[in-house]
Amino acid sequence: MAKKVLDQRFKVLSIETSCDETSVALLDYAERGTQYAVRLRHHETATQIPIHRRFGGVVPEVAARTHVAELVSLLDRAKIISSGKRSTFDAIAVTKGPGLATALRVGVEAARTLAMLTGKPIVGVNHLEGHLASAWLVPENRRRWEFPILALLVSGGHSELVLMRDFCSYKVVGRTRDDAAGEAFDKTAKLLGLPYPGGPEMSKQAKTGNPKAFDLPRPMLKDKSLDMSFSGLKTAVRVLVDKLGLESKHAVRGTRYDLPDLCASIQAAITDVLVEKTIRAAKLHRPKCIIMVGGVSANSELQEKMARCVKAELPDVRMLKPPSGFYTDNAAMIAAAGLWRLRKGKTDAWKKLDAEPELDL
Amino acid sequence: MRNIKISSKGKTTAVKVPSENDWGLVVEKLLPLIRPGTILAVQGNLGAGKTTFIQALAKALGIKRFVPSPTFALMRSYKLPKTVNGIHRLVHVDAYRLKDELELQVLDLDEELSDGKSLLVVEWPEKIEKWIAARESRVIRLKIV
Ligand SMILES: Nc1ncnc2c1ncn2[C@@H]1O[C@H](COP(=O)(O)OP(=O)(O)O)[C@@H](O)[C@H]1O
Ligand SMILES: [Mg+2]
């Protein structure tokens, strides 16, 4: 048994500042015997998407500066210090990586300061572990949760297949060799002249399109490896747009060719690869459950296709719910992952905790 | 098939790269030119093959780790298992999501390169042209068409 650092009842304060979002959460945990209860008491995220949308990209310089200002007011609103000057939390979880060093440091330094002043335990959390934990925030998933679990983690910066043998025990069994799935959505959307962020825009357009209208590459689909590749889509879509005789800036008006058909075809290519590789990984590693997490897991076409294929090909495997409300970066998932670590007695020394921009799972 | 122009110290060389597996042809031409502190500015459209080339370069430098696209992360660095031409580290930057050189501040790039033993490769150098141009004597430009 790991050493106990906390009672069976505790509150985790969490901070996330790894990239675009500044977020703070307070999560309650109570344990009795083998039963436990989890309650999200407070959760607030200040998103920077509106600023970034103006520039058509993420603006890290703005991001780092905004994180500092936002974090202080988010902590204030979370009422982490009660009127009697007592803290309302029992432990602190903070994202330590991967991410932008300057952005990560804002959260890590704030968390360390709080740990120093209050003497509460602190735990540095891997942002990717946070995404895995986001599925566990769904109460129904916690009831059906059983290891081993296969996770498809898909976002703007990640496309990974992770085998979870237990809490805090992970193995990456497949990953993209080049572009992430979310990056493939954003960049092909850019080639079509769609506004940033391209992914959601593309799936909106795709709703009325024919996914078989254009034949796009699905590299590495048939080979045995669990790795993926999405970089070829950019070239293929560029060639298509050129062949259709259009500048991409005109494409968005959809006057000369069917934009929905193109979007549906691109979406089909990306989701086919994600689903096929997940099924292949599941046949190899025989998990009890499958989860999908990260920004791209919000894509409804991906959700439907995955549910359909798991049901047809892996009838004994449980498909858990995507983490609705926790898709993008948020502090609630960091609290959940922090809680996993704290339950196992894993903590960090505030003096030593540092941002780790290159952290892997 | 891609056509590449390598420009260094006023001289330009052209190389043809028939397939994605042939970037070694460019790496071969480059290796004698690079030294610690060199900045490789790799220009080309979306899907031109910038990342593919950098993967071949990393492999030639002995790096075993995956070299995925750093567009989202903005920057990744790789330690070389053995120094090559005095280079200890490869720093891979993608300026795609940056608006201009001002936004480079967040990467602390000068600090990152202060050991003087790194090779910097940059995708989308045109986004941070002023920063690059201020270091012109160390810059090798690669243009993929
Ligand atoms: N010399 C080449 N000939 C043909 N295709 C190539 C060549 N180099 C790369 N490619 C292909 O181009 C696609 C895009 O490559 P990538 O490196 O992601 O481009 P970029 O980083 O410039 O956006 C990939 O499918 C890659 O295999
Ligand atoms: Mg690239």
Side-chain angles (χ1 to χ4, degrees), chain A residues 96-164:
Chain A
K96 65 175 176 180
L100 278 175
T102 48
L104 287 167
R105 253 169 225 137
V106 172
V108 169
E109 293 312 319
R112 293 177 69 209
T113 308
L114 286 170
M116 177 187 75
L117 290 174
T118 60
K120 307 284 183 189
I122 183 170
V123 60
V125 171
N126 184 320
H127 179 82
L128 305 177
E129 184 176 9
H131 274 299
L132 300 179
S134 66
W136 189 77
L137 283 170
V138 181
E140 192 187 327
N141 287 353
R142 283 201 297 277
R143 282 194 295 277
R144 306 175 66 212
W145 197 267
E146 199 178 344
F147 292 111
I149 293 177
L150 178 68
L152 174 66
L153 196 170
V154 268
S155 65
H158 290 275
S159 298
E160 267 132 33
L161 278 162
V162 183
L163 187 65
M164 307 167 66

Side-chain angles (χ1 to χ4, degrees), chain A residues 179 183 187 234, chain B residues 47 49-52 69-71 92 94 123-124:
Chain A
D179 297 0
E183 179 179 352
K187 287 188 171 171
K234 292 172 294 190
Chain B
K50 300 179 292 296
T51 306
T52 315
S69 166
T71 297
H92 185 182
D94 190 337
E123 297 188 46
W124 298 96

Side-chain angles (χ1 to χ4, degrees), chain B residues 6 24-35 38 40 53 56-61 80 84-85 87 119 140:
Chain B
I6 307 170
L25 297 168
V26 176
V27 174
E28 235 169 68
K29 289 254 185 324
L30 279 173
L31 279 182
L33 307 176
I34 59 175
R35 42 192 52 75
T38 295
L40 262 181
F53 153 69
L57 175 68
K59 201 169 164 201
L61 295 174
L80 270 54
V84 177
N85 298 2
I87 296 161
L119 166 66
I140 301 176

Side-chain angles (χ1 to χ4, degrees), chain A residues 297-318:
Chain A
S297 72
N299 183 291
S300 58
E301 170 69 17
L302 175 64
Q303 291 179 6
E304 284 157 27
K305 201 178 278 183
M306 188 71 84
R308 210 165 48 232
C309 292
V310 169
K311 203 169 170 194
E313 298 199 43
L314 306 157
D316 302 331
V317 177
R318 269 175 248 166

